[in-house]
Amino acid sequence: MNDRTPNEQELRRRLQRDLGEAGASAKVDADLLARILVASPIAVDDAGMARRALGGMRPELARRRSADLHRQVLVRVMLAVVPLPFVVAYAVYVLRALYVPVAALLTPDLAAYVAVVHIMLLTLLFGVTYAAIPMMLSRSGNAGHPPAAA
Amino acid sequence: MEAMASDEELAGRVARGDEVAVEELVGRYSRALAHLIERHTGGRDVEDIYQETWIRALGAIDGFDLQRKFSSWIFRIAVNLCRDSHRRRAARPQATEDSALVGRGIDQAAALDAASLLARLPVEQREAIVLRYYHDLPESEMAEVMGVARGTVKSRLHTALGKLAVLAQDDRDGDKVK
């Protein structure tokens, strides 16, 4: 694809190429046509039109970015959830293993308190880990986009 | 140095809402599209058709086959919108034929010469001339843009050239008589 206006020579060459392919029966003066076609200056503000077109496309682009982010978050969260049962099972196993010596050293109330705090910390850790997925995706997604024009 | 992304790669990124990719694509095709629309319509509704081309392209980008050429696809959207514009204009009372060229700060005598000759061709023949000689598209790509068979492109092109030559000769003879 060519996006500049051809000069007369180029036009003549293109015309001769096509007229040659058409055979001698085509009684067309390539020089005359080239002169006519080249005398067609274009005065459009394509840069201004491009700017305005980009402005018109921004809402749709934002919608697409948001839809893409949601799709990615869903996929990543689903993938991250897959090993969760094993992690929870292991955490429960470790907790039970630790609870026996802790219960032997501390009073039952204090041992239960330590266990509950441990469970809460693990829950908080999992929560923060999963919440970080959309935040990190959102940040990496925004890195490639210039801020919207005021 | 990073290799320049192809149009098709950029189109894939545009589908995900990548603003940088859109800016790059619009930058690459801005001039070609504006000139195509200007020549196809004779300068009428150029900005509207230009805007609509990009809006439609963005709306339909999910359906764009990445194996195809982006240039043919975007040109086809523009050409279809130009045809719609011609149809709408044909349905309503016609203003002065070359009113769109008036007051645009260009060499109007020369512009009128070529533009008025092109304007006297049927839309599909004018389209063939513009795509072939101003945008240097090969016949296969023209067929894709125009939505017709390659043989039809060839015949339209040759008919258009013949008609253009006759019109040009008539104008020339008319000038001599005057």
Side-chain angles (χ1 to χ4, degrees), chain A residues 64-128:
Chain A
R64 283 177 175 274
R65 262 200 309 278
S66 162
D68 186 58
L69 180 66
H70 285 135
R71 206 165 33 241
Q72 282 190 49
V73 167
L74 194 68
V75 169
R76 304 282 166 95
V77 168
M78 297 288 270
L79 285 175
V81 162
V82 170
L84 188 61
F86 301 103
V87 175
V88 170
Y90 181 71
V92 169
Y93 169 78
V94 170
L95 183 65
R96 287 175 75 170
L98 287 176
Y99 186 74
V100 176
V102 168
L105 290 171
L106 305 172
T107 62
D109 287 350
L110 212 49
Y113 174 75
V114 169
V116 167
V117 166
H118 183 75
I119 290 166
M120 283 171 70
L121 277 175
L122 279 179
T123 308
L124 186 69
L125 188 66
F126 287 149
V128 168

Short mmCIF file of all heavy atoms in Angstrom, two decimals, chain A residues 64-128:
data_model
loop_
_atom_site.label_atom_id
_atom_site.label_comp_id
_atom_site.label_asym_id
_atom_site.label_seq_id
_atom_site.Cartn_x
_atom_site.Cartn_y
_atom_site.Cartn_z
N ARG A 64 -12.80 -2.16 26.10
CA ARG A 64 -12.07 -3.37 25.71
C ARG A 64 -10.98 -3.72 26.73
O ARG A 64 -10.76 -4.88 27.06
CB ARG A 64 -11.44 -3.19 24.33
CG ARG A 64 -12.44 -3.33 23.24
CD ARG A 64 -11.85 -3.09 21.87
NE ARG A 64 -12.86 -3.36 20.89
CZ ARG A 64 -13.11 -4.56 20.39
NH1 ARG A 64 -12.38 -5.58 20.74
NH2 ARG A 64 -14.08 -4.74 19.53
N ARG A 65 -10.28 -2.68 27.20
CA ARG A 65 -9.22 -2.91 28.20
C ARG A 65 -9.80 -3.52 29.46
O ARG A 65 -9.26 -4.46 30.03
CB ARG A 65 -8.52 -1.60 28.53
CG ARG A 65 -7.22 -1.37 27.78
CD ARG A 65 -6.35 -0.35 28.47
NE ARG A 65 -7.03 0.88 28.79
CZ ARG A 65 -7.24 1.87 27.95
NH1 ARG A 65 -6.81 1.77 26.71
NH2 ARG A 65 -7.86 2.97 28.32
N SER A 66 -10.94 -2.95 29.87
CA SER A 66 -11.57 -3.42 31.10
C SER A 66 -12.04 -4.87 30.93
O SER A 66 -11.84 -5.71 31.82
CB SER A 66 -12.72 -2.47 31.41
OG SER A 66 -13.59 -3.05 32.30
N ALA A 67 -12.65 -5.18 29.78
CA ALA A 67 -13.12 -6.55 29.52
C ALA A 67 -11.95 -7.51 29.51
O ALA A 67 -12.03 -8.63 30.04
CB ALA A 67 -13.88 -6.60 28.20
N ASP A 68 -10.84 -7.07 28.91
CA ASP A 68 -9.66 -7.94 28.82
C ASP A 68 -9.08 -8.18 30.21
O ASP A 68 -8.66 -9.29 30.53
CB ASP A 68 -8.62 -7.28 27.91
CG ASP A 68 -7.44 -8.19 27.65
OD1 ASP A 68 -7.67 -9.30 27.15
OD2 ASP A 68 -6.31 -7.81 27.99
N LEU A 69 -9.08 -7.13 31.04
CA LEU A 69 -8.55 -7.25 32.41
C LEU A 69 -9.40 -8.26 33.21
O LEU A 69 -8.87 -9.14 33.88
CB LEU A 69 -8.54 -5.88 33.09
CG LEU A 69 -8.01 -5.87 34.52
CD1 LEU A 69 -6.53 -6.22 34.53
CD2 LEU A 69 -8.20 -4.51 35.15
N HIS A 70 -10.72 -8.14 33.07
CA HIS A 70 -11.61 -9.06 33.79
C HIS A 70 -11.37 -10.50 33.37
O HIS A 70 -11.32 -11.41 34.20
CB HIS A 70 -13.08 -8.68 33.54
CG HIS A 70 -13.49 -7.46 34.31
ND1 HIS A 70 -14.21 -6.44 33.76
CD2 HIS A 70 -13.24 -7.08 35.59
CE1 HIS A 70 -14.39 -5.50 34.67
NE2 HIS A 70 -13.81 -5.87 35.78
N ARG A 71 -11.17 -10.67 32.07
CA ARG A 71 -10.93 -12.03 31.54
C ARG A 71 -9.64 -12.60 32.12
O ARG A 71 -9.58 -13.73 32.56
CB ARG A 71 -10.86 -11.93 30.01
CG ARG A 71 -11.24 -13.20 29.30
CD ARG A 71 -11.50 -13.00 27.82
NE ARG A 71 -10.69 -11.99 27.18
CZ ARG A 71 -11.17 -10.90 26.60
NH1 ARG A 71 -12.46 -10.69 26.58
NH2 ARG A 71 -10.37 -10.03 26.02
N GLN A 72 -8.62 -11.74 32.13
CA GLN A 72 -7.31 -12.20 32.64
C GLN A 72 -7.36 -12.50 34.12
O GLN A 72 -6.78 -13.49 34.59
CB GLN A 72 -6.26 -11.12 32.38
CG GLN A 72 -5.78 -11.09 30.95
CD GLN A 72 -4.57 -10.18 30.83
OE1 GLN A 72 -3.63 -10.28 31.60
NE2 GLN A 72 -4.60 -9.29 29.87
N VAL A 73 -8.07 -11.65 34.88
CA VAL A 73 -8.19 -11.86 36.33
C VAL A 73 -8.88 -13.19 36.60
O VAL A 73 -8.42 -14.01 37.42
CB VAL A 73 -8.97 -10.70 36.99
CG1 VAL A 73 -9.38 -11.07 38.41
CG2 VAL A 73 -8.14 -9.44 36.99
N LEU A 74 -9.95 -13.44 35.84
CA LEU A 74 -10.70 -14.69 36.03
C LEU A 74 -9.80 -15.90 35.79
O LEU A 74 -9.76 -16.83 36.58
CB LEU A 74 -11.89 -14.69 35.06
CG LEU A 74 -12.95 -15.74 35.34
CD1 LEU A 74 -13.67 -15.40 36.64
CD2 LEU A 74 -13.95 -15.80 34.21
N VAL A 75 -9.05 -15.85 34.69
CA VAL A 75 -8.18 -16.98 34.34
C VAL A 75 -7.11 -17.18 35.42
O VAL A 75 -6.87 -18.30 35.89
CB VAL A 75 -7.52 -16.74 32.95
CG1 VAL A 75 -6.43 -17.76 32.68
CG2 VAL A 75 -8.57 -16.78 31.85
N ARG A 76 -6.46 -16.09 35.83
CA ARG A 76 -5.37 -16.20 36.82
C ARG A 76 -5.90 -16.69 38.17
O ARG A 76 -5.27 -17.51 38.82
CB ARG A 76 -4.66 -14.86 37.01
CG ARG A 76 -4.12 -14.24 35.74
CD ARG A 76 -2.80 -14.89 35.31
NE ARG A 76 -2.51 -14.51 33.95
CZ ARG A 76 -1.73 -13.49 33.60
NH1 ARG A 76 -1.13 -12.78 34.52
NH2 ARG A 76 -1.52 -13.22 32.32
N VAL A 77 -7.06 -16.15 38.57
CA VAL A 77 -7.61 -16.56 39.87
C VAL A 77 -7.97 -18.04 39.82
O VAL A 77 -7.69 -18.79 40.76
CB VAL A 77 -8.82 -15.68 40.25
CG1 VAL A 77 -9.57 -16.28 41.44
CG2 VAL A 77 -8.37 -14.28 40.59
N MET A 78 -8.56 -18.47 38.71
CA MET A 78 -8.91 -19.90 38.57
C MET A 78 -7.66 -20.76 38.67
O MET A 78 -7.66 -21.80 39.34
CB MET A 78 -9.59 -20.15 37.22
CG MET A 78 -10.90 -19.43 37.02
SD MET A 78 -12.23 -20.11 37.99
CE MET A 78 -12.86 -21.29 36.85
N LEU A 79 -6.61 -20.32 38.00
CA LEU A 79 -5.35 -21.08 38.04
C LEU A 79 -4.76 -21.09 39.45
O LEU A 79 -4.22 -22.11 39.91
CB LEU A 79 -4.33 -20.48 37.06
CG LEU A 79 -4.58 -20.78 35.59
CD1 LEU A 79 -3.57 -20.02 34.73
CD2 LEU A 79 -4.45 -22.27 35.30
N ALA A 80 -4.89 -19.96 40.13
CA ALA A 80 -4.33 -19.86 41.48
C ALA A 80 -5.13 -20.68 42.48
O ALA A 80 -4.59 -21.13 43.50
CB ALA A 80 -4.28 -18.40 41.90
N VAL A 81 -6.41 -20.90 42.19
CA VAL A 81 -7.28 -21.65 43.12
C VAL A 81 -6.98 -23.15 43.05
O VAL A 81 -7.17 -23.87 44.04
CB VAL A 81 -8.77 -21.33 42.80
CG1 VAL A 81 -9.69 -22.38 43.39
CG2 VAL A 81 -9.14 -19.96 43.32
N VAL A 82 -6.49 -23.61 41.91
CA VAL A 82 -6.26 -25.06 41.71
C VAL A 82 -5.43 -25.68 42.85
O VAL A 82 -5.85 -26.69 43.44
CB VAL A 82 -5.63 -25.34 40.33
CG1 VAL A 82 -5.18 -26.79 40.21
CG2 VAL A 82 -6.64 -25.01 39.23
N PRO A 83 -4.28 -25.11 43.25
CA PRO A 83 -3.50 -25.77 44.30
C PRO A 83 -3.99 -25.47 45.73
O PRO A 83 -3.42 -26.00 46.69
CB PRO A 83 -2.09 -25.20 44.10
CG PRO A 83 -2.31 -23.87 43.49
CD PRO A 83 -3.56 -23.94 42.71
N LEU A 84 -5.04 -24.62 45.84
CA LEU A 84 -5.47 -24.18 47.17
C LEU A 84 -5.85 -25.33 48.13
O LEU A 84 -5.43 -25.34 49.29
CB LEU A 84 -6.62 -23.17 47.03
CG LEU A 84 -7.04 -22.47 48.33
CD1 LEU A 84 -5.90 -21.67 48.91
CD2 LEU A 84 -8.24 -21.56 48.08
N PRO A 85 -6.64 -26.33 47.67
CA PRO A 85 -6.99 -27.43 48.60
C PRO A 85 -5.76 -28.13 49.18
O PRO A 85 -5.74 -28.47 50.37
CB PRO A 85 -7.79 -28.39 47.72
CG PRO A 85 -8.28 -27.57 46.59
CD PRO A 85 -7.27 -26.51 46.36
N PHE A 86 -4.72 -28.30 48.36
CA PHE A 86 -3.50 -28.98 48.85
C PHE A 86 -2.79 -28.10 49.88
O PHE A 86 -2.30 -28.59 50.89
CB PHE A 86 -2.55 -29.28 47.68
CG PHE A 86 -3.18 -30.15 46.64
CD1 PHE A 86 -3.65 -29.63 45.45
CD2 PHE A 86 -3.35 -31.52 46.87
CE1 PHE A 86 -4.26 -30.42 44.50
CE2 PHE A 86 -3.96 -32.33 45.92
CZ PHE A 86 -4.41 -31.79 44.74
N VAL A 87 -2.76 -26.81 49.60
CA VAL A 87 -2.10 -25.87 50.52
C VAL A 87 -2.84 -25.85 51.86
O VAL A 87 -2.23 -25.91 52.94
CB VAL A 87 -2.04 -24.45 49.91
CG1 VAL A 87 -1.47 -23.45 50.91
CG2 VAL A 87 -1.21 -24.45 48.64
N VAL A 88 -4.17 -25.82 51.79
CA VAL A 88 -4.99 -25.80 53.01
C VAL A 88 -4.80 -27.10 53.79
O VAL A 88 -4.61 -27.10 55.03
CB VAL A 88 -6.48 -25.56 52.67
CG1 VAL A 88 -7.37 -25.79 53.89
CG2 VAL A 88 -6.68 -24.14 52.14
N ALA A 89 -4.81 -28.22 53.06
CA ALA A 89 -4.63 -29.52 53.71
C ALA A 89 -3.27 -29.59 54.41
O ALA A 89 -3.17 -30.07 55.56
CB ALA A 89 -4.75 -30.64 52.68
N TYR A 90 -2.24 -29.06 53.75
CA TYR A 90 -0.90 -29.08 54.34
C TYR A 90 -0.86 -28.17 55.58
O TYR A 90 -0.28 -28.53 56.61
CB TYR A 90 0.12 -28.62 53.30
CG TYR A 90 1.54 -28.63 53.84
CD1 TYR A 90 2.20 -29.85 54.09
CD2 TYR A 90 2.21 -27.45 54.13
CE1 TYR A 90 3.49 -29.87 54.59
CE2 TYR A 90 3.50 -27.46 54.64
CZ TYR A 90 4.13 -28.68 54.85
OH TYR A 90 5.39 -28.70 55.37
N ALA A 91 -1.52 -27.01 55.48
CA ALA A 91 -1.55 -26.06 56.60
C ALA A 91 -2.24 -26.70 57.81
O ALA A 91 -1.79 -26.56 58.96
CB ALA A 91 -2.25 -24.79 56.19
N VAL A 92 -3.33 -27.43 57.55
CA VAL A 92 -4.06 -28.11 58.63
C VAL A 92 -3.17 -29.19 59.27
O VAL A 92 -3.10 -29.32 60.50
CB VAL A 92 -5.38 -28.72 58.10
CG1 VAL A 92 -6.02 -29.65 59.13
CG2 VAL A 92 -6.35 -27.61 57.71
N TYR A 93 -2.46 -29.92 58.42
CA TYR A 93 -1.57 -30.99 58.89
C TYR A 93 -0.48 -30.39 59.81
O TYR A 93 -0.22 -30.91 60.91
CB TYR A 93 -0.94 -31.69 57.69
CG TYR A 93 0.19 -32.63 58.05
CD1 TYR A 93 -0.07 -33.90 58.58
CD2 TYR A 93 1.52 -32.25 57.87
CE1 TYR A 93 0.97 -34.75 58.92
CE2 TYR A 93 2.56 -33.09 58.20
CZ TYR A 93 2.28 -34.34 58.73
OH TYR A 93 3.31 -35.18 59.08
N VAL A 94 0.13 -29.30 59.37
CA VAL A 94 1.19 -28.64 60.15
C VAL A 94 0.62 -28.11 61.47
O VAL A 94 1.24 -28.27 62.54
CB VAL A 94 1.84 -27.50 59.33
CG1 VAL A 94 2.76 -26.64 60.21
CG2 VAL A 94 2.61 -28.06 58.15
N LEU A 95 -0.58 -27.52 61.39
CA LEU A 95 -1.20 -26.95 62.58
C LEU A 95 -1.46 -28.04 63.64
O LEU A 95 -1.17 -27.86 64.82
CB LEU A 95 -2.51 -26.26 62.18
CG LEU A 95 -3.26 -25.56 63.32
CD1 LEU A 95 -2.44 -24.39 63.85
CD2 LEU A 95 -4.60 -25.06 62.83
N ARG A 96 -1.97 -29.17 63.15
CA ARG A 96 -2.26 -30.28 64.09
C ARG A 96 -0.98 -30.82 64.70
O ARG A 96 -0.93 -31.15 65.89
CB ARG A 96 -3.02 -31.39 63.37
CG ARG A 96 -4.45 -30.99 63.08
CD ARG A 96 -5.18 -32.01 62.28
NE ARG A 96 -5.55 -33.18 63.08
CZ ARG A 96 -6.35 -34.12 62.64
NH1 ARG A 96 -6.84 -34.05 61.42
NH2 ARG A 96 -6.65 -35.15 63.42
N ALA A 97 0.07 -30.88 63.87
CA ALA A 97 1.35 -31.40 64.35
C ALA A 97 1.94 -30.46 65.41
O ALA A 97 2.54 -30.91 66.38
CB ALA A 97 2.33 -31.56 63.18
N LEU A 98 1.74 -29.16 65.21
CA LEU A 98 2.29 -28.19 66.16
C LEU A 98 1.42 -28.06 67.42
O LEU A 98 1.92 -27.71 68.49
CB LEU A 98 2.43 -26.80 65.49
CG LEU A 98 3.55 -26.66 64.46
CD1 LEU A 98 3.49 -25.28 63.82
CD2 LEU A 98 4.92 -26.84 65.13
N TYR A 99 0.12 -28.32 67.25
CA TYR A 99 -0.82 -28.10 68.36
C TYR A 99 -0.51 -29.02 69.55
O TYR A 99 -0.62 -28.59 70.71
CB TYR A 99 -2.26 -28.32 67.88
CG TYR A 99 -3.28 -27.97 68.93
CD1 TYR A 99 -3.54 -26.64 69.23
CD2 TYR A 99 -3.95 -28.97 69.65
CE1 TYR A 99 -4.46 -26.31 70.20
CE2 TYR A 99 -4.87 -28.65 70.63
CZ TYR A 99 -5.13 -27.31 70.89
OH TYR A 99 -6.03 -27.00 71.87
N VAL A 100 -0.08 -30.25 69.25
CA VAL A 100 0.16 -31.22 70.32
C VAL A 100 1.26 -30.73 71.27
O VAL A 100 1.02 -30.63 72.49
CB VAL A 100 0.49 -32.62 69.73
CG1 VAL A 100 0.83 -33.61 70.85
CG2 VAL A 100 -0.69 -33.11 68.91
N PRO A 101 2.47 -30.36 70.79
CA PRO A 101 3.48 -29.85 71.72
C PRO A 101 3.08 -28.52 72.38
O PRO A 101 3.38 -28.29 73.55
CB PRO A 101 4.72 -29.66 70.84
CG PRO A 101 4.27 -29.74 69.45
CD PRO A 101 3.00 -30.52 69.44
N VAL A 102 2.38 -27.67 71.60
CA VAL A 102 1.96 -26.37 72.16
C VAL A 102 0.97 -26.61 73.29
O VAL A 102 1.06 -25.98 74.36
CB VAL A 102 1.34 -25.47 71.05
CG1 VAL A 102 0.65 -24.25 71.66
CG2 VAL A 102 2.43 -25.01 70.10
N ALA A 103 0.02 -27.53 73.09
CA ALA A 103 -0.99 -27.83 74.12
C ALA A 103 -0.35 -28.42 75.36
O ALA A 103 -0.85 -28.24 76.49
CB ALA A 103 -2.04 -28.79 73.55
N ALA A 104 0.79 -29.13 75.17
CA ALA A 104 1.49 -29.73 76.31
C ALA A 104 2.20 -28.65 77.13
O ALA A 104 2.34 -28.77 78.35
CB ALA A 104 2.50 -30.77 75.82
N LEU A 105 2.64 -27.60 76.48
CA LEU A 105 3.39 -26.54 77.16
C LEU A 105 2.48 -25.48 77.76
O LEU A 105 2.79 -24.92 78.81
CB LEU A 105 4.36 -25.85 76.17
CG LEU A 105 5.56 -26.66 75.71
CD1 LEU A 105 6.29 -25.94 74.58
CD2 LEU A 105 6.53 -26.88 76.88
N LEU A 106 1.35 -25.16 77.04
CA LEU A 106 0.48 -24.05 77.47
C LEU A 106 -0.84 -24.58 78.01
O LEU A 106 -1.15 -25.77 77.86
CB LEU A 106 0.21 -23.11 76.29
CG LEU A 106 1.43 -22.54 75.57
CD1 LEU A 106 0.99 -21.79 74.33
CD2 LEU A 106 2.20 -21.60 76.51
N THR A 107 -1.60 -23.68 78.59
CA THR A 107 -2.95 -24.06 79.06
C THR A 107 -3.81 -24.28 77.82
O THR A 107 -3.51 -23.72 76.74
CB THR A 107 -3.56 -22.92 79.90
OG1 THR A 107 -3.68 -21.76 79.08
CG2 THR A 107 -2.73 -22.63 81.13
N PRO A 108 -4.92 -25.03 77.91
CA PRO A 108 -5.77 -25.28 76.73
C PRO A 108 -6.28 -24.00 76.08
O PRO A 108 -6.31 -23.88 74.86
CB PRO A 108 -6.92 -26.12 77.29
CG PRO A 108 -6.37 -26.73 78.53
CD PRO A 108 -5.35 -25.79 79.09
N ASP A 109 -6.65 -23.00 76.90
CA ASP A 109 -7.17 -21.73 76.33
C ASP A 109 -6.10 -21.01 75.51
O ASP A 109 -6.36 -20.52 74.41
CB ASP A 109 -7.63 -20.79 77.46
CG ASP A 109 -8.93 -21.27 78.08
OD1 ASP A 109 -9.52 -22.19 77.48
OD2 ASP A 109 -9.35 -20.73 79.11
N LEU A 110 -4.90 -20.98 76.08
CA LEU A 110 -3.79 -20.28 75.40
C LEU A 110 -3.40 -21.03 74.11
O LEU A 110 -3.12 -20.40 73.07
CB LEU A 110 -2.58 -20.19 76.34
CG LEU A 110 -1.69 -18.96 76.17
CD1 LEU A 110 -2.50 -17.68 76.15
CD2 LEU A 110 -0.63 -18.92 77.26
N ALA A 111 -3.43 -22.36 74.16
CA ALA A 111 -3.10 -23.17 72.97
C ALA A 111 -4.14 -22.93 71.87
O ALA A 111 -3.81 -22.78 70.70
CB ALA A 111 -3.06 -24.66 73.35
N ALA A 112 -5.43 -22.85 72.28
CA ALA A 112 -6.50 -22.58 71.30
C ALA A 112 -6.32 -21.18 70.71
O ALA A 112 -6.49 -20.98 69.50
CB ALA A 112 -7.87 -22.69 71.98
N TYR A 113 -5.93 -20.25 71.56
CA TYR A 113 -5.71 -18.87 71.09
C TYR A 113 -4.60 -18.85 70.03
O TYR A 113 -4.74 -18.22 68.97
CB TYR A 113 -5.33 -17.97 72.28
CG TYR A 113 -4.93 -16.58 71.88
CD1 TYR A 113 -5.88 -15.64 71.48
CD2 TYR A 113 -3.58 -16.20 71.88
CE1 TYR A 113 -5.50 -14.37 71.10
CE2 TYR A 113 -3.20 -14.93 71.50
CZ TYR A 113 -4.17 -14.02 71.11
OH TYR A 113 -3.79 -12.77 70.72
N VAL A 114 -3.49 -19.54 70.31
CA VAL A 114 -2.36 -19.60 69.36
C VAL A 114 -2.82 -20.22 68.03
O VAL A 114 -2.50 -19.71 66.94
CB VAL A 114 -1.17 -20.39 69.95
CG1 VAL A 114 -0.11 -20.69 68.90
CG2 VAL A 114 -0.55 -19.62 71.11
N ALA A 115 -3.61 -21.28 68.14
CA ALA A 115 -4.10 -21.96 66.92
C ALA A 115 -4.99 -21.03 66.11
O ALA A 115 -4.87 -20.93 64.87
CB ALA A 115 -4.86 -23.23 67.29
N VAL A 116 -5.89 -20.32 66.80
CA VAL A 116 -6.82 -19.41 66.10
C VAL A 116 -6.03 -18.28 65.42
O VAL A 116 -6.30 -17.92 64.25
CB VAL A 116 -7.87 -18.84 67.09
CG1 VAL A 116 -8.63 -17.67 66.46
CG2 VAL A 116 -8.85 -19.92 67.50
N VAL A 117 -5.05 -17.72 66.13
CA VAL A 117 -4.23 -16.65 65.55
C VAL A 117 -3.49 -17.16 64.31
O VAL A 117 -3.43 -16.48 63.27
CB VAL A 117 -3.23 -16.09 66.60
CG1 VAL A 117 -2.17 -15.23 65.92
CG2 VAL A 117 -3.97 -15.28 67.64
N HIS A 118 -2.98 -18.39 64.41
CA HIS A 118 -2.28 -18.99 63.27
C HIS A 118 -3.21 -19.13 62.05
O HIS A 118 -2.86 -18.77 60.93
CB HIS A 118 -1.73 -20.36 63.70
CG HIS A 118 -0.95 -21.04 62.64
ND1 HIS A 118 0.34 -20.65 62.31
CD2 HIS A 118 -1.26 -22.06 61.81
CE1 HIS A 118 0.77 -21.41 61.32
NE2 HIS A 118 -0.17 -22.28 61.01
N ILE A 119 -4.43 -19.60 62.32
CA ILE A 119 -5.42 -19.78 61.23
C ILE A 119 -5.76 -18.41 60.61
O ILE A 119 -5.84 -18.28 59.39
CB ILE A 119 -6.70 -20.48 61.76
CG1 ILE A 119 -6.37 -21.94 62.09
CG2 ILE A 119 -7.83 -20.42 60.75
CD1 ILE A 119 -7.43 -22.64 62.91
N MET A 120 -5.93 -17.41 61.47
CA MET A 120 -6.27 -16.08 60.97
C MET A 120 -5.14 -15.51 60.11
O MET A 120 -5.40 -14.90 59.06
CB MET A 120 -6.58 -15.13 62.13
CG MET A 120 -7.98 -15.36 62.71
SD MET A 120 -8.27 -14.45 64.21
CE MET A 120 -8.33 -12.79 63.60
N LEU A 121 -3.91 -15.75 60.56
CA LEU A 121 -2.76 -15.25 59.78
C LEU A 121 -2.70 -15.91 58.40
O LEU A 121 -2.45 -15.26 57.38
CB LEU A 121 -1.45 -15.51 60.54
CG LEU A 121 -1.09 -14.48 61.60
CD1 LEU A 121 0.15 -14.91 62.36
CD2 LEU A 121 -0.84 -13.11 60.96
N LEU A 122 -2.94 -17.23 58.40
CA LEU A 122 -2.93 -17.96 57.11
C LEU A 122 -4.04 -17.44 56.20
O LEU A 122 -3.82 -17.22 55.00
CB LEU A 122 -3.13 -19.46 57.36
CG LEU A 122 -1.90 -20.25 57.78
CD1 LEU A 122 -2.27 -21.71 58.00
CD2 LEU A 122 -0.80 -20.16 56.72
N THR A 123 -5.24 -17.22 56.77
CA THR A 123 -6.38 -16.72 55.97
C THR A 123 -6.05 -15.35 55.38
O THR A 123 -6.30 -15.09 54.20
CB THR A 123 -7.64 -16.61 56.85
OG1 THR A 123 -7.83 -17.86 57.52
CG2 THR A 123 -8.87 -16.27 56.04
N LEU A 124 -5.44 -14.51 56.22
CA LEU A 124 -5.06 -13.17 55.77
C LEU A 124 -4.03 -13.26 54.62
O LEU A 124 -4.14 -12.56 53.61
CB LEU A 124 -4.47 -12.38 56.94
CG LEU A 124 -4.16 -10.91 56.67
CD1 LEU A 124 -5.45 -10.13 56.49
CD2 LEU A 124 -3.34 -10.30 57.81
N LEU A 125 -3.07 -14.17 54.80
CA LEU A 125 -2.02 -14.35 53.78
C LEU A 125 -2.63 -14.79 52.44
O LEU A 125 -2.30 -14.25 51.39
CB LEU A 125 -1.02 -15.39 54.29
CG LEU A 125 0.23 -15.56 53.45
CD1 LEU A 125 1.07 -14.30 53.48
CD2 LEU A 125 1.07 -16.74 53.97
N PHE A 126 -3.56 -15.76 52.51
CA PHE A 126 -4.22 -16.22 51.27
C PHE A 126 -5.02 -15.08 50.64
O PHE A 126 -4.99 -14.89 49.42
CB PHE A 126 -5.15 -17.40 51.56
CG PHE A 126 -4.43 -18.69 51.86
CD1 PHE A 126 -4.96 -19.63 52.73
CD2 PHE A 126 -3.20 -18.96 51.27
CE1 PHE A 126 -4.29 -20.82 53.00
CE2 PHE A 126 -2.52 -20.14 51.54
CZ PHE A 126 -3.07 -21.07 52.41
N GLY A 127 -5.75 -14.37 51.49
CA GLY A 127 -6.58 -13.27 50.98
C GLY A 127 -5.75 -12.22 50.26
O GLY A 127 -6.09 -11.79 49.14
N VAL A 128 -4.63 -11.84 50.88
CA VAL A 128 -3.75 -10.82 50.28
C VAL A 128 -3.17 -11.35 48.97
O VAL A 128 -3.08 -10.63 47.97
CB VAL A 128 -2.63 -10.43 51.28
CG1 VAL A 128 -1.55 -9.61 50.58
CG2 VAL A 128 -3.22 -9.65 52.44
#
